[in-house]
Amino acid sequence: MDRIHRRFRNRAAMTKRSRTASAFTLIEFLVVVAVIAILAALLFPALTRTKRNANRALCFNNLKQLNAALRMYADDSSDKSPWVGSGTNRILSFCYKELIQDYVAAKGADQSRQKLFACPSDTFYYDLRPEIGQGYVPKPRHEQPVAYFSSYAFNGGNQFANIFTNTPPPGIGGRTLASIRHPTRTALVLEGPALFPYSWHEPKQPFPVGNDLPVFNNAKDLVGFVDGHVSYIKIFWNTNMVPYPGGYLISMASDYDPPAGFEYQWSGD
């Protein structure tokens, strides 16, 4: 009987030692937590970068398809790119979407749900209309009716005359594609922020002038060109600010062709 009792006592002691040996001390627990925190801090930038690259790749593919649709539209329109006159409240840079619906199998569909026109990096925009403010809006541009539910814009800034120079900015609205002298450099369709410019992919803090204007020189955006290729490039902004009642107006990047050294132009000449 004593032998049996000793066996049970020995087993209990071994079990107790085993539990003691396998238990974490507070210091060991804190060390593990610290290691996990360090690993998370090291991995987070890489994961963020990977996600941004994946989103940019999807945007790239969207622009390739829209570029092809615009070229098909021109093929069926005597080689002319989209055009609506200045005597309208429709903005060509955005309403071009209505003109190419047949070429993207989207006619009659709910425009707010068309994935081809929605860049996954499009999670915010800036409302630059002076009459209602010039602020950051934490909502996708492709959810806004004023943008025709699209993240992307057509290079049609020549529709309206500039209010300060009274001349049309550069653009290729209504131009025949054959008349464009530098198709490898001339923008056709692009991410909306390139017009201003700011960037969804590499955002920066708002420009500290006026009402927190967001634009900055060398903002990087995706641009589709007349020859069909798409590039992720820097956009030029000349920093001009024009006083306006209640704030400032900026000169948009699409108001002028960039200087030498940039990979694009707005004009077709």
Side-chain angles (χ1 to χ4, degrees), residues 96-109:
Y96 80 96
K97 179 184 174 183
E98 295 180 336
L99 304 178
I100 65 169
Q101 294 289 295
D102 286 345
Y103 302 93
V104 294
K107 189 171 184 178

Side-chain angles (χ1 to χ4, degrees), residues 91-182:
I91 300 175
L92 177 62
S93 294
F94 307 144
C95 76
Y96 80 96
K97 179 184 174 183
E98 295 180 336
L99 304 178
I100 65 169
Q101 294 289 295
D102 286 345
Y103 302 93
V104 294
K107 189 171 184 178
D110 181 352
Q111 291 198 24
S112 65
R113 297 181 181 275
Q114 294 175 5
K115 291 184 178 181
L116 178 61
F117 291 91
C119 174
S121 298
D122 174 6
T123 58
F124 66 93
Y125 71 100
Y126 291 90
D127 199 320
L128 303 181
R129 290 172 289 176
E131 66 272 17
I132 62 173
Q134 299 173 325
Y136 170 85
V137 182
K139 296 178 181 179
R141 185 178 185 275
H142 66 258
E143 291 183 357
Q144 311 310 314
V146 69
Y148 284 75
F149 302 104
S150 177
S151 301
Y152 309 108
F154 168 66
N155 179 17
N158 57 319
Q159 177 189 12
F160 298 108
N162 185 291
I163 61 174
F164 302 110
T165 65
N166 203 33
T167 58
I172 60 170
R175 288 276 300 257
T176 61
L177 298 189
S179 72
I180 293 172
R181 295 182 60 187
H182 305 288

Side-chain angles (χ1 to χ4, degrees), residues 241-259:
M241 309 290 295
V242 181
Y244 191 91
Y248 289 82
L249 280 179
I250 62 170
S251 63
M252 292 175 61
S254 57
D255 285 345
Y256 37 79
D257 281 325

Side-chain angles (χ1 to χ4, degrees), residues 30-260:
L30 292 176
V31 169
V32 170
V33 170
V35 170
I36 292 173
I38 292 170
L39 289 174
L42 292 172
L43 289 174
F44 182 74
L47 292 173
T48 300
R49 192 160 49 248
T50 299
K51 183 178 180 181
R52 283 185 177 177
N53 289 341
N55 287 345
R56 191 162 68 241
L58 287 172
C59 269
F60 180 95
N61 290 331
N62 288 351
L63 277 172
K64 288 286 286 185
Q65 294 181 64
L66 293 176
N67 200 309
L70 280 161
R71 292 189 64 86
M72 287 189 287
Y73 171 88
D75 287 343
D76 291 339
S77 304
S78 302
D79 196 41
K80 288 186 177 180
S81 63
W83 179 252
V84 291
S86 58
T88 176
N89 60 0
R90 300 164 70 204
I91 300 175
L92 177 62
S93 294
F94 307 144
C95 76
Y96 80 96
K97 179 184 174 183
E98 295 180 336
L99 304 178
I100 65 169
Q101 294 289 295
D102 286 345
Y103 302 93
V104 294
K107 189 171 184 178
D110 181 352
Q111 291 198 24
S112 65
R113 297 181 181 275
Q114 294 175 5
K115 291 184 178 181
L116 178 61
F117 291 91
C119 174
S121 298
D122 174 6
T123 58
F124 66 93
Y125 71 100
Y126 291 90
D127 199 320
L128 303 181
R129 290 172 289 176
E131 66 272 17
I132 62 173
Q134 299 173 325
Y136 170 85
V137 182
K139 296 178 181 179
R141 185 178 185 275
H142 66 258
E143 291 183 357
Q144 311 310 314
V146 69
Y148 284 75
F149 302 104
S150 177
S151 301
Y152 309 108
F154 168 66
N155 179 17
N158 57 319
Q159 177 189 12
F160 298 108
N162 185 291
I163 61 174
F164 302 110
T165 65
N166 203 33
T167 58
I172 60 170
R175 288 276 300 257
T176 61
L177 298 189
S179 72
I180 293 172
R181 295 182 60 187
H182 305 288
T184 61
R185 286 183 48 83
T186 303
L188 180 64
V189 62
L190 47 129
E191 292 180 311
L195 298 174
F196 296 100
Y198 59 93
S199 176
W200 287 323
H201 307 285
E202 299 181 35
K204 292 185 179 180
Q205 292 298 314
F207 191 79
V209 177
N211 294 335
D212 290 331
L213 296 171
V215 296
F216 56 95
N217 187 34
N218 292 333
K220 295 195 73 175
D221 294 289
L222 285 164
V223 177
F225 293 86
V226 172
D227 74 332
H229 84 279
V230 175
S231 292
Y232 183 52
I233 59 174
K234 293 178 180 179
I235 306 296
F236 174 73
W237 179 55
N238 67 8
T239 73
N240 284 351
M241 309 290 295
V242 181
Y244 191 91
Y248 289 82
L249 280 179
I250 62 170
S251 63
M252 292 175 61
S254 57
D255 285 345
Y256 37 79
D257 281 325

